[in-house]
Amino acid sequence: MRKAWAPWLLLAPAILLFGLLFVAPLVGLGRLSLSEPAPLGVASYTRFFFDGYYLGVLGSTLLLGVLTTGLCLAVGLPMAYVLARLEWRSAPFLLLLTTFPLWVSAVVRSFAWMVLFFRGGLLTELVKATGLVPPSFQLMYTFSGLVIALAQVLLPLMVITLYGVIRGIDRDLENAAMNLGASPFLATVLVTLRLARGGIFAGSLLVFSFAISAFATPILVGGVRAHLMAVTIQEQTLELLDWPFAAALSMVLLAIGLVVVVVYGRLVDERQPRTA
């Protein structure tokens, strides 16, 4: 009997801490979102789902998450593959350099991007030099600039996740595919990328989750034009003092995150080899 209770007694402090710091605030948030009209109402949710503006905010947030995830995957996958296949002694140092954005505060990173994106900034001037944009063009306070800045912030999460997965894939499998007639590129796609699908899904999930809930980078780089869920929640909480509606927005964003996690889990389970 004592042996049966021993694991639960060991887990009790962690469960209590998790309940106090995570579950209890979420329950309170859910109750607050249903407080209008009292005692149990859905006026805040009705307002959200039947207002085109807030649905547009949700759409912009999801689009930001998808574009940021796609950009991080397009840049991070080749970077992680090269780092994982390097035989140099300096390879761990190069991997450490990719995590440099995580060492710096999000506010500091955002201010650095503001300097680059403002009119006269380095990146803005480089885009102007192509002649494809008018002289008044600037990346600051634009959706494109926000995607670039947020992708740079979240890129290390994608690289670190993919690096560990690709590093664990035996390189002899690619060599075997090439011995059977596949080109190096085709061998990488058919062997390494297929075996690294779990890491690709995991990295994409991390980046997407952080992107749709980001606040510091959108508010600084996107400014007042950043009509996103996190910014709207802040406005409803601190400026308009409509806490029930802000709680409803938070619960909607949380529900979307949970749906993405469930879908991700299903996709990973379907792609795992089944044994008898």
Side-chain angles (χ1 to χ4, degrees), residues 14-265:
I15 294 175
L16 180 61
L17 189 64
F18 181 79
L20 290 176
L21 299 182
F22 185 76
V23 177
L26 283 180
V27 172
L29 191 67
R31 292 178 58 185
L32 182 61
S33 68
L34 297 172
S35 61
E36 289 186 354
L40 184 63
V42 293
S44 297
Y45 292 96
T46 303
R47 175 184 170 189
F48 174 81
F49 287 108
F50 288 92
D51 192 320
Y53 171 76
Y54 294 109
L55 292 178
V57 171
L58 177 60
S60 298
T61 304
L62 297 179
L63 179 61
L64 175 66
V66 171
L67 293 179
T68 303
T69 303
L71 184 57
C72 287
L73 184 60
V75 177
L77 182 57
M79 186 182 300
Y81 180 82
V82 172
L83 290 174
R85 293 297 185 237
L86 280 178
E87 301 296 339
W88 301 344
R89 292 183 178 180
S90 58
F93 176 72
L94 295 178
L95 178 64
L96 186 64
L97 287 181
T98 63
T99 65
F100 181 75
L102 300 178
W103 305 356
V104 185
S105 167
V107 177
V108 175
R109 293 194 301 261
S110 300
F111 273 115
W113 281 109
M114 291 170 68
V115 173
L116 294 174
F117 284 164
F118 265 125
R119 193 172 302 165
L122 177 61
L123 289 182
T124 302
E125 291 300 317
L126 288 176
V127 175
K128 288 181 182 179
T130 62
L132 301 176
V133 296
S136 60
F137 173 80
Q138 68 174 15
L139 285 169
M140 190 63 186
Y141 304 135
T142 64
F143 195 81
S144 300
L146 177 57
V147 171
I148 295 173
L150 199 57
Q152 185 267 339
V153 171
L154 301 177
L155 180 62
L157 298 177
M158 181 70 76
V159 174
I160 293 173
T161 304
L162 292 175
Y163 173 85
V165 175
I166 297 175
R167 186 75 175 177
I169 298 174
D170 193 349
R171 195 167 186 174
D172 289 339
L173 297 175
E174 295 182 17
N175 295 331
M178 288 186 285
N179 288 335
L180 293 174
S183 63
F185 175 77
L186 190 59
T188 302
V189 173
L190 295 180
V191 177
T192 305
L193 293 188
R194 292 188 66 181
L195 294 176
R197 284 181 300 188
I200 293 174
F201 282 126
S204 300
L205 176 64
L206 280 175
V207 172
F208 182 82
S209 300
F210 277 101
I212 64 175
S213 59
F215 174 74
T217 301
I219 197 66
L220 292 174
V221 178
V224 295
R225 298 181 182 179
H227 301 295
L228 303 172
M229 291 290 285
V231 178
T232 304
I233 292 171
Q234 184 265 349
E235 293 174 351
Q236 295 292 329
T237 305
L238 300 181
E239 298 180 14
L240 302 178
L241 302 180
D242 192 349
W243 286 40
F245 188 58
L249 294 177
S250 302
M251 295 303 293
V252 170
L253 192 60
L254 176 63
I256 291 174
L258 292 176
V259 169
V260 172
V261 170
V262 171
V263 172
Y264 156 77

